[in-house]
Amino acid sequence: MTQAHEAQPTEILLVEDNPGDVRLTREALREGKIYNNLHCVQDGVEALEFLRQQGKHADAPRPDIILLDLNLPRKDGREVLLEIKGDEQLRPIPVVILTTSKAEEDVLRSYHLHANCYITKPVDLEQFMAVVKAIDTFWLTVVTLPSPK
Amino acid sequence: MKREWFAPVRLSSLFAAFKRKPETVPEPLAVAQEVIDAVPVPVFFKGRDGRYFGVNKAWEDFFGIPRASIIGKTQSDPETDPSVIAKHRVEDEALWNRPGRRTYEIRVSTGDGTIRDVTMYKARFAHANGEVAGMVGTIVDLTERKEAERARQDSEARFRSLIEHAQAESSDTFKDLFDDAPIGYHELDADGRFARVNRTELAMLGYREEEMVGHYPWEFVVERVSQDAVASKLAGHVPLGAFERTLKRKDGSHLPVLIEDRLIRNGDGTVRGIRTAIVDNSARKRAEEVVAAANQRLTQDVAARKLVEARLREAHDALSHKARELAQSNEELQHFAYVASHDLQEPLRMVSSYTQLLERRYATAFDGDAKEFMAFIVDGATRMKQLIEDLLAYSRVGAAGREMQSTDCGAALQRALLNLRAAIEASGATITHDLLPTVIGDGAQLAQLFQNLVGNAIKFRSTDAPCIDIRAHEQDGAWVVSVKDNGIGIDSQYFERIFIMFQRLHAKTEYSGTGIGLAICKKIIDRHGGRIWVESLPGQGCTFFFTLPKPHEAHSDDRMNQP
């Protein structure tokens, strides 16, 4: 809705260790209308390095939204969420939990850790596509996010 | 200050003056009269001829005779009693014959008529030439002293008699006490033989007195006792005291007794014998035996109880161990279920998603066979996903259930019907229900239960539109809820099987499903402490029943809720 979004691509950080899901997400976003840069990292440690522009991610942009899986190698999604929401700099970035788990404890835990929303990945491709497009539409077009800079 | 007339006057000179001129009292004598009148005891003077020639005032008062009427008279005059006169004469004669004094006691009559006990003191006096001139005498009244003496003697006599009487009486009392005492008594003489035995002891042992008196105590004792024992006691060699013995009765039976000995002594302290008290100890002995027996039983009981406790502890330990194992196994199962639901679904999603993506992007490149194969892949993946989700739901019933609390069954049903809205609308089902009770339960699970049962009723419908009726009633202190449908029904041979996991009665092409729904229902009801069963006639629909325990404290009115 803001002028800025129309002028430059939206930066999306996808934290996902399954290449199949990465590809599906990328395909879904490609079908969407939004001009975006999808950045993928494969585990929690790398996700935090990206967000804090450390190591090889020194030049990483600040993402407009984070799509976070829960079950990740090295540092899992719950710990990453805890660190993001405990960090004053990172806290304003919306975090969408995108996971296979339907477990109630995972849902509850995520919201308690201040996840902005929780989505279970649908098995059906059409539904999956619809979900990714919905994230796109809602978080990147409908809502007003704080100015990144 | 010395006065002339007060110089000692010889009695003989007074007498001489009197002799010369008896009718007039000479001057010195008049003075002497004043002096002797002051003496508080009777005093008199007599001449050798036995006639009075002077008395004092006390004498006049004592005898009640004026001086004038006795002077010149003999001693017999105031006396009337001949024995008294004779006594005086004998005494006077003795005095005239021997120099010195006479003292004697006598009873005399006085002027007021009373008889007095007196002591007479008489002394003679002589002329200057040594010739006996007369006597002087005094009378000491002993009456009161004598009376006191007599009273003392009387009282002593009475006292003695009293004592004697009392002794006689106490002796009788003692005899009664001895005989009628509630305990046995006997006395041993100095030889250690029975001297007397009281009635109580005789009754205790069944002997007559003559059967014991003269015998030795040990003849009546069951225990072996030294025959010297009594002699030692009598000699004071062994301490006396209380001890237990068993005595022989005349009929041969034994009597446990408590015995207490006491030495009896003569007035001079020598030992006269032994007095013994005997108490029947059989009641106490029996009580002791009862207590001992009870104690023994108690000891046995305690031992038995300890054994039982030990067994219980072992059983409890074994049970706790099993419970721990079970809890661990349950935990592992939960974890497995979670892993299965999550990690199995990811590859599944890949299979189905990429098959669909293939179809989407390259549909034109595939022929009919390829499309059919891909449809099977997608269908398989979809069913696999449903199976995994149902398994997960089943595994969650046990461990992941919420806390049991007051739950409205009506609300649980409404939630289930909301979830089934699409199926209800599609099938045109009519659903009616009773007031449903409030129970202690897990609302989410009860909703799942209704959803599965109502869902089944819709799924297994006949050609008619489904009519489903849900009712509740009380029975045997529990709520019985029924879900009745007009569907295809179930053959009675499958009534048990349908609640077992993966048991299906129909081909997948006829009725979809994983065969887990009723297994979940059973698990939910098990967790609520109830029962679930089905009644059906093929072709006439079926009715599922389940029971839920009633809450204890609620009023029955509060349990029902509006539909």
Side-chain angles (χ1 to χ4, degrees):
Chain A
M1 293 277 249
T2 58
Q3 300 285 318
H5 285 154
E6 287 164 22
Q8 47 185 289
T10 304
E11 305 293 341
I12 300 173
L13 174 62
L14 175 65
V15 190
E16 171 64 71
D17 64 324
N18 180 4
D21 272 320
V22 173
R23 181 64 195 268
L24 273 184
T25 309
R26 199 181 290 283
E27 293 298 327
L29 286 172
R30 187 182 294 167
E31 289 186 9
K33 301 280 186 298
I34 285 108
Y35 173 40
N36 62 68
N37 284 333
L38 182 68
H39 307 273
C40 294
V41 292
Q42 303 213 341
D43 62 58
V45 174
E46 203 187 340
L48 288 167
E49 281 174 358
F50 184 95
L51 288 168
R52 287 167 180 159
Q53 299 173 315
Q54 292 164 341
K56 64 178 182 179
H57 298 292
D59 298 326
R62 180 185 171 90
D64 295 297
I65 188 165
I66 302 166
L67 307 182
L68 179 65
D69 193 7
L70 285 183
N71 295 338
L72 295 168
R74 295 216 277 171
K75 185 174 271 187
D76 85 357
R78 300 162 192 84
E79 292 170 87
V80 175
L81 181 60
L82 182 68
E83 286 201 34
I84 291 171
K85 293 304 179 186
D87 184 320
E88 269 188 47
Q89 294 298 312
L90 305 178
R91 196 182 297 152
I93 305 171
V95 178
V96 174
I97 302 297
L98 193 60
T99 177
T100 322
S101 172
K102 267 178 130 172
E104 201 174 331
E105 55 264 40
D106 281 340
V107 178
L108 268 176
R109 180 108 185 264
S110 298
Y111 282 113
H112 274 293
L113 292 172
H114 305 291
N116 295 77
C117 71
Y118 186 103
I119 295 169
T120 303
K121 294 173 188 167
V123 171
D124 184 82
L125 179 70
E126 292 298 333
Q127 286 176 28
F128 185 83
M129 295 285 188
V131 161
V132 174
K133 282 177 203 163
I135 293 169
D136 230 20
T137 311
F138 183 75
W139 284 105
L140 303 176
T141 323
V142 176
V143 302
T144 302
L145 293 173
S147 176
K149 300 293 178 300
Chain B
M1 184 88 49
K2 194 176 176 183
R3 289 174 59 175
E4 197 58 38
W5 55 266
F6 202 63
V9 177
R10 281 188 65 90
L11 281 169
S12 54
S13 65
L14 287 177
F15 178 72
F18 174 71
K19 275 284 192 187
R20 276 192 310 273
K21 211 175 173 190
E23 62 281 358
T24 55
V25 177
E27 182 70 6
L29 191 57
V31 174
Q33 185 66 42
E34 275 182 51
V35 173
I36 63 170
D37 276 348
V39 176
V41 296
V43 176
F44 61 89
F45 303 95
K46 282 182 182 178
R48 176 64 186 87
D49 56 0
R51 295 177 195 278
Y52 287 93
F53 70 88
V55 296
N56 71 348
K57 180 80 171 61
W59 192 96
E60 285 177 315
D61 293 343
F62 187 72
F63 286 108
I65 299 170
R67 195 182 310 165
S69 60
I70 190 69
I71 299 291
K73 303 245 175 85
T74 64
Q75 63 186 24
S76 61
D77 291 343
E79 292 291 346
T80 48
D81 187 338
S83 69
V84 174
I85 295 166
K87 173 71 176 166
H88 285 312
R89 191 164 290 155
V90 168
E91 291 293 333
D92 285 359
E93 206 56 44
L95 184 65
W96 298 138
N97 294 333
R98 276 196 304 275
R101 291 190 299 244
R102 296 298 294 179
T103 303
Y104 59 94
E105 291 183 6
I106 197 163
R107 308 187 77 180
V108 297
S109 303
T110 59
D112 61 4
T114 59
I115 306 294
R116 315 291 285 180
D117 288 293
V118 298
T119 300
M120 304 294 294
Y121 295 94
K122 291 180 176 175
R124 66 181 198 181
F125 59 90
H127 295 293
N129 63 3
E131 186 193 346
V132 174
M135 71 165 75
V136 60
T138 66
I139 300 168
V140 174
D141 188 347
L142 295 176
T143 308
E144 272 147 30
R145 222 176 75 192
K146 279 277 180 192
E147 273 173 5
E149 177 71 10
R150 262 197 302 279
R152 190 178 63 80
Q153 282 171 358
D154 282 357
S155 132
E156 268 181 12
R158 269 200 309 279
F159 182 66
R160 225 175 356 258
S161 130
L162 264 175
I163 294 283
E164 280 160 9
H165 183 67
Q167 277 173 344
E169 234 178 32
S170 78
S171 172
D172 287 348
T173 307
F174 176 76
K175 180 86 171 79
D176 286 348
L177 276 176
F178 185 81
D179 267 339
D180 297 336
I183 59 174
Y185 261 125
H186 64 243
E187 285 179 10
L188 304 181
D189 59 21
D191 289 336
R193 296 171 198 262
F194 286 110
R196 54 200 299 211
V197 182
N198 81 339
R199 281 199 289 265
T200 311
E201 183 169 340
L202 292 171
M204 276 162 70
L205 298 178
Y207 291 103
R208 292 195 306 278
E209 187 165 22
E210 59 267 29
E211 290 172 322
M212 291 185 75
V213 169
H215 288 265
Y216 289 100
W218 65 75
E219 296 171 43
F220 300 89
V221 176
V222 174
E223 289 90 355
R224 291 174 60 85
V225 289
S226 164
Q227 298 187 358
D228 298 333
V230 175
S232 297
K233 285 177 189 169
L234 285 165
H237 291 158
V238 290
L240 302 180
F243 50 95
E244 291 187 6
R245 281 274 183 277
T246 311
L247 300 185
K248 278 183 253 183
R249 284 204 183 93
K250 192 178 180 185
D251 64 9
S253 62
H254 291 175
L255 178 69
V257 292
L258 265 179
I259 289 180
E260 185 159 358
D261 285 336
R262 196 176 287 267
L263 288 177
I264 35 181
R265 294 174 188 277
N266 292 315
D268 59 3
T270 55
V271 173
R272 183 155 65 82
I274 294 174
R275 183 174 298 145
T276 304
I278 294 180
V279 178
D280 182 344
N281 206 22
S282 50
R284 207 183 95 181
K285 279 279 176 196
R286 273 199 302 277
E288 280 174 2
E289 281 164 18
V290 168
V291 168
N295 261 336
Q296 196 181 347
R297 272 202 305 280
L298 205 66
T299 310
Q300 287 168 351
D301 285 355
V302 166
R305 211 181 104 182
K306 280 194 174 150
L307 198 66
V308 169
E309 278 175 352
R311 296 258 163 85
L312 267 174
R313 213 162 25 242
E314 284 168 21
H316 179 261
D317 288 350
L319 216 63
S320 304
H321 184 65
K322 282 278 175 221
R324 274 197 302 278
E325 279 183 354
L326 256 174
Q328 197 182 345
S329 150
N330 248 339
E331 214 169 288
E332 283 167 4
L333 205 67
Q334 291 305 315
H335 185 66
F336 172 78
Y338 179 82
V339 168
S341 73
H342 186 272
D343 294 356
L344 288 184
Q345 287 208 60
E346 273 210 358
L348 196 61
R349 233 163 15 80
M350 293 300 103
V351 172
S352 84
S353 297
Y354 280 96
T355 311
Q356 286 176 284
L357 197 58
L358 266 179
E359 192 184 14
R360 196 164 161 150
R361 296 260 172 95
Y362 307 102
T364 49
F366 291 161
D367 61 7
D369 278 352
K371 283 180 183 169
E372 196 183 344
F373 299 163
M374 281 201 294
F376 281 127
I377 295 173
V378 171
D379 180 57
T382 308
R383 277 193 288 110
M384 179 92 176
K385 171 185 163 279
Q386 188 60 48
L387 203 58
I388 288 168
E389 284 187 351
D390 285 355
L391 266 178
L392 188 64
Y394 180 84
S395 78
R396 276 169 190 279
V397 171
R402 291 190 181 85
E403 213 170 301
M404 294 286 188
Q405 53 191 5
S406 188
T407 302
D408 175 11
C409 284
L413 176 64
Q414 291 309 319
R415 212 181 315 167
L417 297 182
L418 200 66
N419 292 342
L420 291 167
R421 194 173 48 190
I424 292 167
E425 282 171 6
S427 62
T430 310
I431 294 169
T432 54
H433 61 88
D434 258 354
L435 294 164
L436 293 183
T438 292
V439 298
I440 299 298
D442 179 330
Q445 291 187 355
L446 291 179
Q448 169 93 66
L449 174 72
F450 280 118
Q451 187 173 328
N452 288 3
L453 293 177
V454 174
N456 273 355
I458 294 170
K459 190 201 286 183
F460 299 104
R461 62 180 176 268
S462 62
T463 48
D464 298 330
C467 286
I468 301 159
D469 189 29
I470 298 130
R471 296 191 172 278
H473 68 275
E474 284 185 59
Q475 188 178 309
D476 302 332
W479 289 107
V480 181
V481 181
S482 60
V483 179
K484 185 181 191 308
D485 65 43
N486 61 340
I488 57 172
I490 302 169
D491 195 300
S492 63
Q493 62 174 308
Y494 302 120
F495 284 179
E496 303 290 330
R497 253 178 78 180
I498 54 172
F499 294 105
I500 300 170
M501 214 185 327
F502 301 131
Q503 294 295 321
R504 296 169 49 87
L505 304 182
H506 307 280
K508 288 189 175 70
T509 48
E510 274 183 288
Y511 298 98
S512 65
T514 55
I516 294 179
L518 287 175
I520 290 174
C521 290
K522 181 164 183 347
K523 202 168 175 187
I524 289 171
I525 286 300
D526 283 348
R527 184 167 172 252
H528 283 72
R531 273 189 323 122
I532 185 166
W533 71 99
V534 67
E535 290 174 7
S536 172
L537 287 172
Q540 295 182 25
C542 63
T543 308
F544 281 87
F545 296 90
F546 60 86
T547 63
L548 290 168
K550 283 172 67 175
H552 295 298
E553 69 282 4
H555 297 293
S556 59
D557 291 345
D558 300 336
R559 294 181 199 142
M560 304 299 276
N561 291 279
Q562 292 300 320

